[in-house]
Amino acid sequence: MEVRESAHAYQQGFYTIAEYLEMENAATEKHEYYQGEIFAMSGAGARHNIISINLIASLKSRLKGKGCRPYGSDMRINIPENTLFTYPDVSVICGEVKTIKEDKNTATQPTAIFEILSPSTSNYDRGIKFMLYRAIPTLKDYILVDSRSIHVEHFA
């Protein structure tokens, strides 16, 4: 997914988490939330989707019987420490999915996050987003997969 700009449909400026969740759960598109602002996400291309499906399939096989499960980009993650609500391309959650009390569709404890890099998201995924992800206490692995070349970066 690509982050574009503050969501055009949301003209208010700053939103509470409750307002964001109410709008997001009714929306047909995905949006990230950070410190009161809502950002529209754009769709992914064919190459991005192929990489995502391959990652999930491989992870599902490797995690079988280990108490962990891969999730695609429809699994919303919240980091309460910094307010980010986001949709990683692929996440791995071990044990029971723990959700926020305000929304049972938002998980808080990924063990691993995979982001598939595109020209428009590469700097964000390597920079600010990585910094925000570091606040997740359960996160052990952050993996960046380049969609334009055969290149993977792993941060543990």
Side-chain angles (χ1 to χ4, degrees), residues 57-111:
S58 178
L59 287 166
K60 183 170 175 52
S61 173
R62 290 175 186 262
L63 295 172
K64 188 173 184 173
K66 296 185 177 170
C68 300
R69 165 175 256 143
Y71 292 88
S73 62
D74 286 333
M75 176 59 82
R76 185 172 49 228
I77 302 291
N78 172 238
I79 307 168
E81 292 80 3
N82 57 37
T83 77
L84 180 66
F85 283 81
T86 188
Y87 295 88
D89 292 316
V90 176
S91 57
V92 173
I93 296 175
C94 296
E96 183 180 335
V97 175
K98 293 180 178 76
T99 61
I100 60 173
K101 64 179 178 169
E102 300 88 353
D103 184 78
K104 297 303 175 207
N105 297 315
T106 303
T108 60
Q109 82 299 1
T111 301

Side-chain angles (χ1 to χ4, degrees), residues 1-5 29-32 39-45 48 73 89 118 120-121:
M1 290 294 167
E2 297 180 23
V3 176
R4 289 294 185 190
E5 53 195 41
E29 302 92 21
K30 295 177 190 169
H31 303 85
E32 284 193 347
F39 301 89
M41 307 292 290
S42 67
H48 184 284
S73 62
D89 292 316
S118 68
S120 65
T121 65

